[in-house]
Amino acid sequence: MKGQHGFIGTSHDARFGAAHHHESWLAAAWHAIRRWEQLAYERDQLARMSDEMLKDIGLSRADVMEESDRHFWEDPLKK
């Protein structure tokens, strides 16, 4: 609109910016923790699969062992 000085959801209050930064940091940390849990779960599920099941999805036991040896924070999607 003509004469509009900002956008919906913005504020010129410095306290809002700090609170928003804090919330975004917490959200990012929460998502990272959830992703680490997901990676640990998936790696555990891979380790429990039989060699025949692994072959069906194109993986070997050696592939699974390599993946299982990774640290929980090592995300193959973030290279």
Side-chain angles (χ1 to χ4, degrees):
M1 293 176 129
K2 189 174 182 179
Q4 185 174 347
H5 296 285
F7 298 98
I8 295 173
T10 62
S11 173
H12 298 291
D13 189 345
R15 292 173 295 166
F16 174 79
H20 180 68
H21 175 71
H22 181 69
E23 289 173 9
S24 64
W25 180 86
L26 284 174
W30 177 252
H31 289 295
I33 291 168
R34 296 292 298 151
R35 176 65 179 150
W36 294 338
E37 288 177 334
Q38 179 185 11
L39 286 170
Y41 174 78
E42 290 174 0
R43 288 172 177 155
D44 182 62
Q45 292 299 307
L46 277 174
R48 294 172 184 262
M49 295 175 88
S50 69
D51 290 337
E52 292 80 21
M53 293 170 76
L54 292 173
K55 185 178 178 184
D56 285 345
I57 61 172
L59 295 175
S60 68
R61 181 63 53 196
D63 295 331
V64 172
M65 295 306 296
E66 183 179 335
E67 185 63 29
S68 296
D69 287 342
R70 296 178 111 177
H71 298 286
F72 68 89
W73 63 81
E74 293 182 272
D75 190 339
L77 297 180
K78 294 191 176 190
K79 289 187 175 186

